[in-house]
């Protein structure tokens, strides 16, 4: 179910201001959903919906005479068999008011401040705890002087208050979050808030200890602003808060660790403009933790995390006609058969109360496109060690560059393979220098290695192929100066794998070239493993480094070795080829990878397009965001990726064109493996491309113009150029135009119109078929 919404104000004629609170109650066989908030006239309004009737509203202020001046908190308690619904909030004069309703009584109100002598200055939170046979109800909030106050009521006592600041000497300057955790037979009550310096302070109380406080900012270095929110996932305590730079920060604590923090905006690219509303849901065999937030521009953003994924996000506003909100959302979940319906509510910019609902489908689609494919898998926060072995056969026509120049192009701070992957991966993947060894002189003249195949090993040296011999020779020479054994993380098997230590053999050659190969210690009379320094070697990469040393060839070969990327180049002209717009095709230019490789490695932020509209797309080189065009009613393993390629100061500087790149992705081999030859391609040449070569067959670049002499010059959509800025449609009467067709030739139903001129940010109008 894609996101949908209803304008509750249009039904009830009541507008709201600020945040709301949500709760649910049973009504016989039905589930009643409730929202409460403040009207522009400071009235307390309660909205409710059930399967029996659409949204309705009751004006609690009209019934009680009490007005409110901010958001409310809600809780429910039992009074015998009767369920009592409660609301608490601040009056315009700063009094703490508690409203309640039950089937036996209409809405009533009590002024807790009059009973306790303490006023409040901000929003309040609420929780409940047992006390023997009794239930204790707690609201807590900030006093006008910044003290943290905890109020409580039980059947044994009327309303009372404790000043937590007096006990802990820590004041607060925000609303408060609350949660309760077990500690053996005891319950520990927690509160969290920001102080006047932006420090996140956590307070706690248990029967064994009076109120205490800890400065979480002092532990993590992260300041916050506004009210934090809390949730529990197993025994992990979480807080989410907005940082001063509008990033969304998630703090967590476990019994085994002290407080830590993660910047979710670092992963999602989405900032926050206020407080988050958390909830949790099963996601396959995992548990997903979700946070609904409002971005600084008022968009509703859904962030989620689960053990197999870092934080991701979905712009829900974009899926409901770009509706914007004036306050932070509140969330709740209801059952719908075997699935769950997720709800969000907040006022829009005009004060209309909107309720948005959806299920897990948009998140599942996002997870699907970012999931592993073939040998490609997510590579996040990974460092791989690379050992460069420089081996020189002393070919007179191909002199060796200096070791320093090779080291610089591999591991230097700029214009290096190391820096390339830091940029292309958004910092998630990098290589580390394990060493640069050599130059090692070849044991024989160059013609020994480049000579004809020695079938039958006529010279008795154990080698049939000179190239296979040179790899073993180079590694054995390096083994005299380098101890391989410490890099073997699994010494029991004795195999040194590339993810433990990647070997890159560098060979002088004026023109770059590279391969990945399996090495052996002897070929004849039978193959023997290569064992050096007590470890066995398998796959290595070699790079004929070029003159000057070429960055692209080393980056390409290490992609094969460490990331399992696929070759995408052809030996014949092909109109859908990636060309210089992927390192796995136009290798030697050293430009960025295509978005499919990045997506599967977990380096991009995919946004599945769920609604027709105008979309803004920043350059992929620095913002890492792409749009996904997928029709889930048809398939989830065939889709289009839309990205903005802009040179800027990135490794895409060599590109011949700038603009919107459109890619057709087919993950199903039964589809891409049986495709007919592309237009203008010789069938015999096409059939030489193996059906299982997903890099060459399953990834297609859709170009506005293709042909001899303009292959990479007119590859991207540019609204300022009539030749490359035409609308990209599913079906076009102009046979010279590219089209958005599925692999089986049927129109996809998508359309891309009104491309802007190229720039660091571009816009395009997208039409969807659903």
């Amino acid at each position: 179910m894609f996101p949908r919404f209803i304008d509750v104000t249009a039904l009830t004629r009541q507008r709201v201001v600020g945040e709301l609170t949500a709760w649910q109650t049973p009504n016989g066989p039905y589930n009643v959903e409730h929202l409460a908030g403040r009207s522009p006239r400071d009235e307390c309004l309660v909205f409710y919906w059930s399967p029996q009737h659409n949204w309705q509203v009751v004006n609690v202020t009209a019934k009680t005479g009490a007005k409110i001046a901010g958001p409310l908190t809600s809780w429910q308690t039992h009074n015998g068999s009767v369920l009592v619904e409660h609301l608490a909030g601040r009056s315009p004069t700063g009094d703490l008011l508690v409203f309640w309703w039950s089937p036996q009584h209409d809405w009533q109100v009590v002024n807790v401040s009059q009973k306790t002598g303490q006023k409040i200055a901000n929003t309040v939170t609420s929780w409940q705890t047992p006390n023997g046979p009794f239930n204790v109800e707690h609201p807590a909030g900030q006093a006008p002087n910044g003290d943290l106050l905890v109020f409580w009521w039980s059947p044994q006592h009327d309303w009372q208050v404790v000043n937590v600041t007096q006990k802990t000497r820590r004041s607060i300057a925000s609303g408060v979050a609350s949660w309760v955790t077990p500690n053996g037979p005891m319950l520990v009550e927690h509160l969290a808030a920001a102080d006047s310096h932006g420090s996140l302070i956590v307070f706690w109380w248990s029967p064994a200890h009076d109120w205490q406080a800890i400065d979480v900012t002092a532990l993590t270095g992260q300041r916050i602003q506004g009210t934090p929110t809390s949730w529990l996932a197993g025994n992990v305590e979480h807080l989410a808060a907005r940082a001063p730079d509008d990033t969304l920060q998630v703090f967590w604590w476990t019994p085994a660790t002290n407080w830590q923090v993660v910047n979710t905006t670092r992963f999602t690219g989405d900032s926050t403009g206020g407080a988050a509303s958390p909830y949790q849901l099963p996601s396959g065999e995992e548990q997903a933790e979700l946070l609904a937030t409002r971005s600084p521009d008022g968009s509703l953003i859904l962030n989620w995390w689960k053990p197999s994924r870092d934080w991701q996000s979905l712009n829900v506003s974009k899926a409901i006609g770009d509706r914007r909100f004036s306050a932070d959302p509140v969330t709740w979940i209801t059952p719908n058969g075997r699935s769950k319906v997720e709800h969000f509510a907040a006022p829009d910019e005009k004060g209309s109360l909107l309720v948005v609902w959806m299920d897990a489908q948009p998140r599942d689609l996002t997870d699907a496109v970012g999931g592993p494919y073939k040998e490609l898998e997510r590579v996040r926060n990974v460092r791989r060690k690379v050992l460069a072995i420089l081996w020189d056969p002393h070919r007179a026509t191909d002199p060796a560059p200096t070791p320093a120049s090779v080291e610089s192009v591999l591991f230097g701070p700029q214009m290096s393979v190391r820096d390339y992957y830091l940029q292309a991966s958004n910092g998630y993947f990098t290589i580390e220098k394990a060493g640069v060894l050599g130059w090692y002189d070849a044991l024989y003249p160059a013609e020994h290695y480049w000579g004809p195949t020695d079938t039958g090993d006529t010279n008795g040296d154990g080698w049939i192929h000179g190239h296979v011999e040179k790899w073993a020779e180079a590694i054995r020479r390096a083994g005299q100066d380098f101890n391989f054994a410490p890099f073997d993380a699994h010494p029991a098997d004795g195999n040194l794998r590339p993810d433990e230590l990647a070997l890159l053999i560098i060979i002088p050659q004026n023109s770059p070239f590279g391969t990945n190969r399996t090495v052996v210690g002897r070929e004849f009379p039978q193959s023997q493993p290569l064992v050096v320094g007590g470890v066995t070697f398998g796959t290595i990469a070699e790079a004929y480094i070029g003159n000057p040393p070429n960055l692209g060839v080393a980056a390409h070969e290490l992609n094969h070795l460490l990331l399992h990327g696929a070759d995408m180049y052809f030996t014949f002209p092909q109109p859908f080829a990636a060309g210089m717009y992927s390192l796995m095709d136009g290798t030697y230019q050293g430009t960025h990878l295509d978005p499919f490789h990045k997506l599967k490695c977990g380096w991009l932020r995919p946004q599945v397009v769920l609604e027709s509209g105008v979309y803004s797309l920043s350059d992929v080189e620095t913002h890492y965001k792409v749009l996904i065009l997928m029709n889930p009613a048809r398939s989830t393993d065939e889709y289009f990726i839309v990205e903005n390629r802009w040179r800027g100061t990135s490794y895409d500087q060599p590109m011949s064109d700038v603009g919107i790149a459109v890619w057709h992705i087919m993950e199903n081999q039964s589809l891409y493996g049986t495709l007919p030859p592309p237009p203008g391609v010789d069938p015999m040449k096409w059939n030489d491309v193996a059906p299982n070569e997903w890099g060459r067959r399953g990834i297609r670049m859709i170009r506005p113009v293709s042909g001899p002499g303009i292959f990479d010059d007119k590859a991207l959509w540019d609204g300022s150029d009539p030749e490359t800025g035409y609308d990209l449609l599913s079906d076009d009467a102009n046979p010279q135009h590219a089209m958005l067709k599925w692999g089986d030739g049927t129109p996809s139903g998508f359309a891309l119109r009104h491309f802007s001129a190229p720039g660091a940010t571009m816009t395009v109008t997208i039409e969807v078929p659903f």
Side-chain angles (χ1 to χ4, degrees):
M1 180 197 307
F2 290 168
R4 298 290 183 264
F5 76 96
I6 187 170
D7 187 332
V8 176
T9 295
L11 296 172
T12 62
R13 298 185 179 181
Q14 287 283 5
R15 298 187 182 276
V16 292
V17 177
E19 292 77 30
L20 298 106
T21 185
W23 72 100
Q24 301 175 65
T25 58
N27 182 18
Y30 303 109
N31 183 64
V32 184
E33 303 169 36
H34 304 262
L35 291 168
R38 176 169 63 105
S39 79
R41 298 176 297 277
D42 289 343
E43 297 162 313
C44 176
L45 302 178
V46 172
F47 302 84
Y48 58 97
W49 178 95
S50 81
Q52 295 174 290
H53 51 73
N54 211 334
W55 285 98
Q56 301 182 58
V57 66
V58 59
N59 188 321
V60 176
T61 294
K63 294 177 177 289
T64 62
K67 292 190 172 186
I68 59 172
L72 297 159
T73 184
S74 57
W75 69 97
Q76 298 85 51
T77 62
H78 279 93
N79 183 13
S81 61
V82 177
L83 186 65
V84 184
E85 303 170 39
H86 299 78
L87 295 169
R90 178 170 57 95
S91 77
T93 59
D95 290 346
L96 173 59
L97 304 178
V98 172
F99 304 84
W100 76 93
W101 178 95
S102 80
Q104 298 171 318
H105 299 282
D106 204 351
W107 284 100
Q108 301 180 60
V109 67
V110 61
N111 189 317
V112 176
S113 291
Q114 290 179 356
K115 292 177 176 285
T116 62
Q118 289 283 5
K119 291 181 178 287
I120 59 171
N122 212 318
T123 59
V124 292
T125 185
S126 58
W127 71 101
Q128 301 174 64
T129 57
N131 183 16
F134 304 108
N135 183 65
V136 185
E137 304 169 35
H138 307 261
Q142 177 195 0
N145 67 349
D147 287 357
L148 172 59
L149 304 176
V150 172
F151 303 83
W152 78 93
W153 179 95
S154 80
Q156 295 173 292
H157 301 282
D158 202 356
W159 286 101
Q160 300 181 59
V161 66
V162 62
N163 188 315
V164 176
T165 294
Q166 291 180 356
K167 294 176 177 288
T168 62
R169 300 182 183 275
R170 298 304 301 245
S171 299
I172 63 171
S174 73
V176 185
S178 59
W179 68 102
V180 179
T181 61
N183 183 15
M186 297 182 293
L187 285 179
V188 184
E189 303 170 40
H190 302 78
L191 297 171
D195 70 8
S196 59
H197 303 291
S199 293
L200 172 60
I201 310 299
V202 170
F203 305 82
W204 74 96
W205 178 95
S206 80
H209 297 282
D210 204 351
W211 284 100
Q212 301 177 67
I214 187 171
D215 187 332
V216 175
T217 294
L219 295 173
T220 62
Q222 181 60 58
R223 296 190 180 277
I224 68 167
Q225 61 180 12
T227 302
T229 51
S230 63
W231 72 100
L232 293 170
N235 65 352
V236 184
E237 303 172 31
H238 296 81
L239 289 166
R242 175 189 181 189
D245 62 356
D246 289 341
T247 56
L248 177 61
Q249 304 286 335
V250 171
F251 303 80
W252 79 95
W253 179 95
T254 73
T257 63
N258 212 330
W259 284 99
Q260 300 180 61
V261 67
V262 62
N263 180 344
T264 70
T265 300
R266 160 76 175 81
F267 296 95
T268 66
D270 283 310
S271 301
T272 185
S277 183
Y279 61 103
Q280 298 178 64
L281 281 172
S283 179
E285 297 181 355
E286 299 178 291
Q287 185 79 355
E289 301 171 35
L290 304 101
L291 293 172
T293 60
R294 179 174 56 101
S295 71
D297 71 357
S299 295
L300 174 60
I301 306 295
L302 180 58
N303 308 268
W304 71 96
W305 176 94
K306 58 185 182 180
S308 66
R309 290 285 196 277
D310 283 317
W311 285 95
Q312 300 183 89
S313 66
L314 171 71
N315 189 320
V316 179
S317 284
K318 203 65 186 177
I320 57 169
D322 215 19
R323 298 296 291 261
R324 307 297 175 94
F325 296 85
S326 61
D328 300 326
V330 66
T331 59
W332 69 100
I333 308 167
T334 60
N336 182 23
R338 290 185 292 180
S339 64
K340 302 287 186 181
V341 181
E342 304 160 44
H343 297 79
F344 318 90
D348 69 7
E349 295 168 309
K350 297 179 180 179
S352 293
L353 172 56
L354 303 185
V355 172
V356 183
W357 71 95
M358 57 177 271
D359 64 12
Q361 185 184 29
R363 295 198 315 278
D364 290 343
L365 295 177
T366 305
D367 286 344
V369 297
Y373 179 72
K374 300 291 187 181
E375 297 85 3
L376 285 181
E377 58 186 6
R378 296 173 75 82
V379 180
R380 302 284 287 258
N381 301 321
V382 169
R383 307 173 78 89
R384 292 286 182 251
K385 294 180 173 62
V386 175
L387 175 66
I389 302 173
L390 283 54
W391 180 87
D392 186 2
H394 293 288
R395 293 181 289 177
T397 55
D398 299 87
T402 66
S405 66
V406 175
E407 181 172 347
S408 177
V409 83
L410 294 178
F411 305 111
Q414 294 179 324
M415 295 310 297
S416 67
V417 177
R418 173 189 170 276
D419 186 54
Y420 171 91
Y421 274 111
L422 282 170
Q423 182 183 112
S425 71
N426 191 15
Y428 291 131
F429 175 73
T430 188
I431 62 172
E432 292 181 346
K433 181 180 70 173
V436 177
L437 307 177
W439 295 98
Y440 293 113
D441 295 326
L443 296 178
Y444 305 102
E447 54 267 23
H448 174 83
Y449 307 96
W450 274 263
T453 300
D454 184 13
T455 304
D457 186 22
T458 58
N459 62 7
D461 63 1
W463 298 106
I464 299 172
H465 302 92
H467 292 292
V468 180
E469 180 182 359
K470 78 176 187 296
W471 304 325
E473 179 187 311
I475 295 170
R476 284 171 171 153
R477 293 291 300 277
Q480 298 173 14
D481 301 320
F482 188 86
N483 186 4
F484 294 108
F487 293 88
D488 184 3
H490 304 87
D493 65 15
N495 295 316
L496 188 61
R497 299 191 301 267
D499 61 352
E500 296 170 328
L501 180 67
L503 266 59
L504 178 62
I505 298 176
I506 303 293
I507 302 169
Q509 183 167 286
N510 293 333
S511 57
F513 177 74
T515 61
N516 269 220
R517 291 290 186 265
T518 300
V519 295
V520 295
R522 185 182 181 92
E523 289 183 289
F524 193 88
Q526 59 186 11
S527 178
Q528 295 179 0
L530 176 63
V531 181
V532 178
V535 298
T536 302
F537 294 85
T539 305
I540 58 93
E542 68 171 347
Y544 293 83
I545 199 61
N547 186 12
N550 183 272
L551 181 155
V553 67
H556 177 106
E557 295 308 328
L558 287 175
N559 190 293
H560 286 312
L561 188 65
L562 297 173
L563 302 170
H564 312 295
D567 281 325
M568 295 173 63
Y569 54 80
F570 293 86
T571 59
F572 51 85
Q574 207 272 77
F576 298 125
M580 67 167 53
Y581 302 99
S582 177
L583 176 75
M584 305 315 288
D585 185 349
T587 301
Y588 309 136
Q589 289 95 345
T591 51
H592 272 237
L593 287 159
D594 57 277
F596 182 76
H597 276 88
K598 289 183 180 180
L599 184 67
K600 295 304 180 180
C601 286
W603 301 345
L604 293 182
R605 300 162 178 153
Q607 178 184 343
V608 179
V609 175
L610 306 175
E611 177 98 353
S612 298
V614 178
Y615 286 80
S616 177
L617 198 54
S618 296
D619 63 288
V620 73
E621 294 86 353
T622 62
H623 289 79
Y624 306 97
K625 184 176 180 180
V626 294
L627 302 177
I628 306 294
L629 310 184
M630 173 189 289
N631 188 343
R634 181 185 187 279
S635 172
T636 58
D637 57 16
E638 186 178 8
Y639 47 92
F640 302 96
I641 303 178
V642 182
E643 64 174 350
N644 177 8
R645 298 293 287 267
W646 178 249
R647 298 185 190 99
T649 59
S650 73
Y651 282 90
D652 267 346
Q653 280 285 315
M655 290 192 311
S656 299
D657 199 8
V658 290
I660 293 289
V662 182
W663 302 81
H664 179 193
I665 307 300
M666 294 166 279
E667 296 187 16
N668 188 339
Q669 184 177 327
S670 65
L671 174 61
Y672 66 70
T674 58
L675 288 177
V681 173
D682 184 335
M684 293 192 65
K685 291 182 178 179
W686 180 249
N687 291 336
D688 286 339
V689 180
N692 65 347
E693 290 195 61
W694 56 267
R696 292 186 170 102
R697 284 179 171 261
I699 305 174
R700 289 185 160 191
M701 188 178 190
I702 302 178
R703 298 164 176 265
V705 180
S706 61
I710 54 171
F711 183 64
D712 278 340
D713 296 339
K714 299 283 186 178
L716 307 179
W717 260 263
D718 170 2
S720 66
D721 182 350
E723 192 177 8
T724 62
Y726 62 86
D727 292 345
L728 178 56
L729 310 176
S730 293
D731 208 356
D732 195 319
N734 187 337
Q736 301 302 314
H737 283 181
M739 286 175 270
L740 288 172
K741 292 184 180 292
W742 298 122
D744 63 6
T746 59
S748 68
F750 290 99
L752 303 179
R753 301 179 185 272
H754 312 306
F755 295 96
S756 69
T761 299
M762 293 184 66
T763 59
V764 58
T765 299
I766 301 179
E767 296 174 2
V768 302
F770 38 79

